[in-house]
Amino acid sequence: MTRQLASDPKKGFDWRGYISAVPTFVPQFILTPERTALLVVDMQRSSADRNAGQGRWLQREYPNIAAYYYDRVEDTVIPNIARLQTAFRQRGSRVVFLTVGPQTLDGADFNPLRRKGIPAQIGPHPGDVVLNKLTRGGFASTGLDLVLRNMGVEGLVIAGVVTNGCVWATAGDASDRGFKCVLVDDACAAFTQMFHDTTLFLFGASCGKVLQTDQTLALLGAPAEQDRAQAAG
C-alpha cells in the first residue's frame, strides 16, 4: 500500500531562529584538528542507495519521502562527506565508519535489509576504521569509545544518516562521553526536513555545534573551494 505524507517532506522549520530565543546548554570548546576524527554514520548501500535494501521498500510505500530523502543523499550528503574525507585524509586525521547490519550471513541476528556495503565514492581507505553495530547508537554495541581514545581523538565531526536516528543517537552519546562534537548539517539527511531540523535543534541546544561543510572545513583550516575541487576529481 502506497502512503503519501500530507505535507511536503522538504518543509522544515527555522530551528536557528528558535534556538536563539530559548535557554541552551551547549558545551563550549575549540577543536584541535590533529585530535579530531571524522565519524561517518550508516552511509551504506541499504541506507544510501534508493535501489538497495530499505530504498526499494521506501520507494514502494512512501514515494514522496523516498524522492526527497534519496535526492538529498545523492546530491548533497555524499558529495559533502567526500569533501570532508578528503580534508581529513590529507591532514593525516582519522576517518571512522559506522555501519549497521547483521553479523551472520543469513541475517538471523538483525534486519537482513540492512547490509553493510559502503558506496565506493565515499568508501573506506587503508588506515580507516570500520565498525559494525547492532544498535542505533555507535557506542552501545561496538568498541568505538575505546578505539577513539586509543587513537587520541578528542573531537568528532559527525555526518551520515539518518539524522534523527543513528546519527542523533551516536552524536548525543558522544557528547555525553566528553567528546567535542560537530554535527554537519549538509552532510546528514533524514526522511523529512522536519525530522532533520528538529534533531539539529535538539543537538545544537545541548550537545555541540551544528555547522555546514564549508564552516567545518574552515574551522579545521581547510580552504573550502580547494577541498571541493579535490573531492570532485
Side-chain angles (χ1 to χ4, degrees), residues 69-153:
Y69 172 72
Y70 288 107
D71 284 352
R72 179 177 173 88
V73 167
E74 294 163 1
D75 299 339
T76 302
V77 174
I78 288 177
N80 283 330
I81 288 177
R83 293 174 59 206
L84 291 165
Q85 289 174 334
T86 297
F88 273 77
R89 288 172 180 143
Q90 285 181 340
R91 285 155 187 74
S93 298
R94 296 292 184 174
V95 177
V96 179
F97 292 83
L98 290 174
T99 61
V100 59
Q103 302 283 14
T104 59
L105 292 177
D106 63 358
D109 59 324
F110 202 75
N111 185 342
L113 285 178
R114 306 303 296 270
R115 293 296 178 182
K116 303 189 287 280
I118 300 170
Q121 61 268 48
I122 54 167
H125 286 198
D128 292 347
V129 176
V130 182
L131 299 173
N132 186 62
K133 58 189 174 65
L134 299 173
T135 51
R136 289 179 178 84
F139 292 92
S141 56
T142 75
L144 178 60
D145 187 274
L146 186 58
V147 168
L148 294 174
R149 296 188 194 281
N150 283 349
M151 296 190 299
V153 171

